[in-house]
């Protein structure tokens, strides 16, 4: 009886797959990407475009999290403005403390389950380590859908997100790690080799061309730092101080500042308060939301990217932009030679040293163009009926 309970969700998925296999694709396969932030949507854009271009594959989108927050720019509206169809908006409650975060995640899991059921989704596609992805993977797995996970196996020690990333891995049936190290880590976590497709990072696709078209109000290249800081704890006062220290270091280096507002992790109010205070400074520009091409232009032309965003680890190397990775958020993650790490208290002393090195030349460890299409091809062609019950390969 226990075995029947464990295998029934997968059996339901196989029955849903029917004759939709790599050799018989007359049935429409529905692939739903669950997104919670502007950043992850940007990372997955080329994958989504490639899925949408498959004549017999239907792309679905569900939006939740910061996408629906007016204070963060309500980026779901920008997604629609760019021509994408959003099939469901899943409400996301306030998350100013851990209790609210847990409750919001539970409500979102229920809402996503209802959406996947209504949309008759076959594959739930998620990326990264955020709580919205965990909610979607949980809902998809319990519904008996196939869950596909991009950027599994990455390592960022000391963060709750690291545990969530690995939890998503255990709920997923198809894995798209970005690097050989991440693929090896998935094997160590017990994932079966045939479920792992090491194809690179889709966020690298086309970023050079996307950043090339300048706008009249773009700052002059090399005159500014791009600051992207996300919270690492629920201490609002400490996060305010970290943001203040970072901005002081940038301004002390005679650089202007282009600032991106933080994600919705606990503690964001402290960072947001410091950035809002800085809006009156003529040499500081604060962005509530940024279209990805604009964000990439700023990254490509910045004297340095300062903060703790994964974009500094994954994408910035493709431009040779120096990156000051601050604090524990990205500790343990593979990086190229453009990244220098420091503790929060060391920003003021370390930033001038980074700037003195100039721009970096080298190969991005996260790959090059074409990953998005390769991921889409796997999702379009894989035989769903061949995916058995989730196994742990110990």
């Amino acid at each position: 009886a226990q075995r029947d309970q464990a295998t029934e969700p997968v059996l339901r998925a196989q029955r849903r797959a029917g004759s939709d296999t790599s050799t018989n694709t007359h049935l429409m396969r529905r692939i739903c990407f669950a997104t919670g932030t502007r950043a992850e949507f940007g990372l997955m854009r080329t994958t989504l475009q490639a899925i949408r271009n498959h004549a017999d594959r239907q792309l679905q989108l569900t939006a939740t999290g910061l996408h629906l927050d007016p204070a963060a720019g309500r980026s779901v509206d920008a997604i629609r403005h760019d021509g994408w169809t959003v099939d469901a908006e899943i409400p996301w409650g306030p998350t100013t403390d851990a209790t609210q975060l847990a409750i919001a995640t539970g409500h979102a899991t229920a809402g996503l389950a209802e959406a996947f059921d209504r949309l008759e989704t076959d594959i739930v596609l998620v990326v990264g380590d955020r709580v919205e992805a965990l909610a979607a993977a949980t809902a998809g797995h319990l519904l008996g859908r196939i869950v596909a996970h991009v950027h599994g196996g990455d390592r960022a020690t000391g963060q709750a997100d690291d545990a969530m990333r690995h939890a998503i891995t255990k709920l997923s049936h198809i894995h798209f790690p970005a690097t050989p190290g991440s693929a090896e880590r998935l094997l160590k976590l017990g994932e079966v080799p045939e479920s792992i497709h090491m194809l690179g990072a889709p966020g690298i696709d086309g970023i050079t061309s996307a950043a090339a078209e300048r706008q009249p109000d773009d700052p002059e290249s090399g005159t500014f730092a791009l600051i992207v800081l996300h919270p690492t704890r629920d201490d609002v006062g400490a996060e305010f101080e970290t943001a203040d220290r970072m901005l002081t270091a940038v301004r002390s280096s005679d650089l202007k500042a282009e600032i991106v507002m933080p994600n919705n992790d606990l503690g964001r109010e402290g960072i947001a308060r410091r950035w809002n205070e800085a809006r009156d400074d003529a040499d500081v520009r604060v962005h509530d939301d940024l279209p990805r091409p604009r964000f990439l232009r700023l990254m490509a032309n910045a004297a340095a990217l300062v903060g703790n965003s994964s974009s500094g680890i994954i994408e910035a190397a493709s431009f040779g932009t120096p990156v000051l990775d601050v604090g524990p958020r990205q500790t343990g993650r593979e990086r190229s030679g453009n990244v220098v790490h420091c503790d929060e208290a060391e920003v003021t002393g370390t930033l001038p040293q980074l700037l003195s090195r100039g721009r970096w030349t080298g190969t991005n460890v996260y790959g090059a163009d074409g990953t998005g299409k390769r991921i889409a091809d796997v999702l379009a062609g894989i035989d769903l009926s061949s995916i058995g019950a989730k196994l742990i390969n110990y």
Side-chain angles (χ1 to χ4, degrees), residues 289-306:
D289 186 41
L290 272 176
R292 183 163 172 79
R294 183 69 181 277
F295 176 70
L296 292 173
R297 283 198 302 275
L298 291 175
M299 186 190 302
N301 294 311
L305 190 156
V306 182

Side-chain angles (χ1 to χ4, degrees), residues 7 9 58 71 74 143 163 204 225 229 283 304 318 336 346-347 351 372 376:
T7 58
Q58 179 184 342
R74 199 177 145 78
L143 282 172
I204 304 300
L229 178 66
D283 290 326
S318 295
S336 302
E346 300 171 339
V347 176
L351 181 56

Side-chain angles (χ1 to χ4, degrees), residues 33-43 45 48 61-80 86 88-92 127 130 132 263-264 289-290:
F33 178 52
T35 176
T37 72
R38 60 183 182 242
E40 69 182 13
F41 186 84
L43 287 173
R45 183 178 291 266
L48 304 179
L61 293 176
T62 60
T64 187
L66 275 181
H67 282 308
L68 310 183
D69 186 352
R74 199 177 145 78
S75 49
V76 67
D77 296 331
I79 292 174
R80 288 194 172 100
V86 178
E89 293 184 14
I90 310 302
W92 188 268
V127 60
R130 291 193 49 77
E132 299 94 338
N263 64 24
N264 61 345
D289 186 41
L290 272 176

Side-chain angles (χ1 to χ4, degrees), residues 25-272:
T25 57
H26 71 273
L27 295 179
M28 179 69 73
R29 177 175 296 178
R30 302 175 181 90
I31 303 170
C32 185
F33 178 52
T35 176
T37 72
R38 60 183 182 242
E40 69 182 13
F41 186 84
L43 287 173
M44 292 295 291
R45 183 178 291 266
T46 60
T47 303
L48 304 179
Q49 289 170 335
I51 294 171
R52 190 166 62 175
N53 289 340
H54 275 276
D56 53 358
R57 301 297 182 249
Q58 179 184 342
L59 174 67
Q60 301 170 333
L61 293 176
T62 60
T64 187
L66 275 181
H67 282 308
L68 310 183
D69 186 352
R74 199 177 145 78
S75 49
V76 67
D77 296 331
I79 292 174
R80 288 194 172 100
H81 180 75
D82 287 344
W84 299 91
T85 298
V86 178
D87 297 277
E89 293 184 14
I90 310 302
W92 188 268
T95 55
T96 57
D97 59 43
T99 300
Q100 288 184 336
L101 177 62
I103 292 171
T105 304
H107 289 166
T109 302
L112 286 160
E114 292 173 352
F116 298 150
D117 183 62
R118 174 176 60 82
L119 295 170
E120 298 186 327
T121 298
D122 297 304
I123 299 175
V124 175
L125 177 62
V126 296
V127 60
D129 57 7
R130 291 193 49 77
V131 67
E132 299 94 338
L134 177 63
T138 301
H141 187 97
L142 292 176
L143 282 172
R145 273 38 172 193
I146 300 300
V147 179
H149 184 206
V150 178
H151 270 292
D154 287 1
R155 180 172 180 260
T157 58
Q159 293 298 299
D161 287 0
D162 219 25
M164 288 193 288
R165 185 191 306 273
H166 300 329
I168 295 167
T169 288
K170 306 319 294 179
L171 294 167
S172 300
H173 307 85
I174 307 170
H175 308 281
F176 297 105
T179 68
S182 292
E184 180 65 24
R185 198 167 290 112
L186 291 177
L187 290 172
K188 291 180 178 179
L189 286 168
E191 298 306 301
V192 294
E194 55 267 30
S195 71
I196 300 172
H197 307 266
M198 202 288 291
L199 302 177
I204 304 300
D205 289 354
I207 62 174
T208 303
S209 57
E213 184 178 348
R214 292 181 59 82
Q215 298 296 320
D217 63 340
D218 283 347
E220 184 180 349
S221 179
T223 64
F224 67 96
L226 176 61
I227 302 178
V228 190
L229 178 66
H230 300 304
T232 59
R233 66 219 136 178
D234 59 1
D235 186 333
V236 172
E239 293 294 348
F240 179 93
E241 292 176 4
T242 298
D244 182 69
R245 188 180 295 116
M246 195 169 294
L247 182 56
T248 299
V250 167
R251 301 295 290 119
S252 297
S253 298
D254 295 325
L255 293 172
K256 298 179 180 180
E258 298 280 338
I259 297 174
V260 181
M261 289 295 262
N263 64 24
N264 61 345
D265 288 346
L266 299 180
R268 81 175 301 271
E269 291 82 5
I271 299 173

Side-chain angles (χ1 to χ4, degrees), residues 377-389:
D377 287 345
V378 171
L379 293 176
I382 197 167
D383 181 358
L384 299 189
S385 65
S386 71
I387 300 176

